Amino acid sequence: MAQIIDGKAISQTIKDEVKQEVQELSAQGIPVTLAVIQVGEDPASTVYVNNKKKACAYTGIRSLAYHLPENTGQDELLDLIGQLNEREDVNGILVQLPLPAGMDEDAVIEAISPKKDVDGFHPQSVGALCIGKPGFLPCTPAGIIEILKRSGIDPAGKECVMIGRSNIVGKPMALLLLRENGTVTVAHSRTADLKEVSRRADILVVATGKAKMITAEYVKPGAAVIDVGMDRDENNRLCGDVDFEAVSGIAGAITPVPGGVGPMTIAMLMKNCVRAARMQNAAEKDS
Ligand code: NAP
């Protein structure tokens, strides 16, 4: 039976570390503030935004919530981002995605100052990751690296297979595994013989959005299996992209859904906010 990696416990440890850092910064007169913008009434976005506000409250990060109506014009949203970019008391800016139809998400992401891009989606952050320069890392892949490190799983020299190549998970995850000196293969829907490719993995990360598609046949005995999926099974229960029951019998370690990767994303967002505050403060002192 595989070691079940407790992402909830790891994320709690990270939030407690962040809380400590926020207290230390506050004692130095450096408060940490995150601005969260939601446009429209998408119910899933409302849940995510509320969870982010709760994590801010827990860690001592001040959150400024901007909930704009569905019919907000793109210029109005860009104006708000522009104002938040200028405000010295705002360290991080997050626009909850998806945006209502008709808005240009790329233009909105690009409007956020890279210095305040705590989601790590700005092209400058993505480019920095690609060429190994400092920048904000996207929270879900960064959270997976933390999970691996804190579980004693080192990607260095290992065969790492990333199934999925999205901009928010698959591609940055592959780059981070490469940065950790893994030998990385990226698989996707056009990969020939996915089972054969997947079975090479010492570390298998799955982000396909296809409920329970990774069965035991895709997994090398003893592999570490990280399940990013947040799907619904035939009984409408939350499940991952990995068939947990089957794969936990063969893997060496596995993240469950829920309670694996999911809780890490917000913990890493909190970490990015602290980093933003530190960097902005250091830049202010230098100037
Ligand atoms: P996405 O943008 O839909 O990308 C899915 C990727 O999986 C694509 O690259 C696609 O290949 C590949 N794929 C789909 N079906 C496949 C198959 N049968 N065989 C091989 N590859 C296949 O999804 P995403 O945004 O990366 O999200 C993936 C999952 O992670 C979702 O369940 C999402 O809810 C979850 N998620 C969780 C968190 C978290 O915080 N835990 C964060 C983000 C996402 P092509 O490129 O060839 O189409």
Side-chain angles (χ1 to χ4, degrees):
M1 182 73 187
Q3 171 202 349
I4 314 292
I5 297 175
D6 188 347
K8 211 171 164 194
I10 298 173
S11 75
Q12 185 59 47
T13 306
I14 292 173
K15 280 191 282 183
D16 286 334
E17 290 167 4
V18 169
K19 190 177 183 174
Q20 180 73 32
E21 278 193 80
V22 171
Q23 275 168 9
E24 285 162 15
L25 284 170
S26 168
Q28 296 165 39
I30 306 166
V32 184
T33 300
L34 170 67
V36 181
I37 305 173
Q38 181 182 355
V39 187
E41 303 301 331
D42 175 53
S45 290
T46 302
V47 172
Y48 291 135
V49 165
N50 284 338
N51 287 341
K52 286 166 190 174
K53 285 188 211 160
K54 266 192 228 159
C56 283
Y58 181 81
T59 51
I61 293 174
R62 181 172 70 127
S63 65
L64 302 178
Y66 296 87
H67 194 165
L68 309 180
E70 185 89 21
N71 61 0
T72 301
Q74 172 139 331
D75 288 347
E76 213 179 311
L77 176 57
L78 294 178
D79 272 354
L80 173 60
I81 294 171
Q83 288 164 29
L84 295 169
N85 281 340
E86 293 300 319
R87 274 177 62 170
E88 282 186 8
D89 66 328
V90 171
N91 306 107
I93 302 170
L94 181 149
V95 178
Q96 186 63 46
L97 302 177
L99 288 168
M103 277 207 182
D104 178 350
E105 278 188 3
D106 288 343
V108 169
I109 290 169
E110 283 171 36
I112 297 172
S113 162
K115 295 190 185 90
K116 300 189 177 185
D117 176 36
V118 286
D119 249 345
F121 293 160
H122 191 284
Q124 189 171 313
S125 307
V126 178
L129 167 61
C130 203
I131 59 174
K133 298 278 184 218
F136 290 106
L137 300 177
C139 300
T140 302
I144 293 171
I145 294 294
E146 285 289 331
I147 280 187
L148 292 172
K149 285 189 172 163
R150 292 175 191 242
S151 305
I153 301 164
D154 182 0
K158 304 248 170 62
E159 288 285 344
C160 303
V161 176
M162 173 69 235
I163 309 183
R165 56 174 164 179
S166 69
N167 288 340
I168 59 166
V169 185
K171 283 181 197 148
M173 188 69 240
L175 288 165
L176 283 175
L177 288 165
L178 189 60
R179 185 188 273 194
E180 297 294 327
N181 299 313
T183 300
V184 183
T185 303
V186 183
H188 45 78
S189 68
R190 307 283 291 272
T191 296
D193 202 350
L194 183 63
K195 278 183 195 164
E196 187 273 323
V197 172
S198 173
R199 268 201 306 262
R200 287 186 217 150
D202 301 309
I203 297 174
L204 179 63
V205 184
V206 189
T208 60
K210 299 282 178 320
K212 299 184 181 179
M213 75 162 271
I214 298 301
T215 55
E217 297 163 290
Y218 287 80
V219 178
K220 176 158 103 176
V225 180
I226 306 295
D227 187 355
V228 188
M230 300 241 267
D231 313 311
R232 294 276 162 186
D233 69 8
E234 56 287 1
N235 301 314
N236 204 32
R237 273 198 298 257
L238 188 62
C239 72
D241 296 344
V242 175
D243 180 345
F244 182 84
E245 263 175 47
V247 172
S248 56
I250 178 169
I254 186 167
T255 57
V257 178
V261 172
M264 294 299 292
T265 302
I266 289 184
M268 298 310 286
L269 173 67
M270 300 296 107
K271 233 170 135 66
N272 275 351
C273 291
V274 169
R275 180 148 179 253
R278 282 193 193 286
M279 281 171 16
Q280 288 155 24
N281 195 261
E284 216 170 87
K285 276 190 188 144
D286 286 350
S287 63

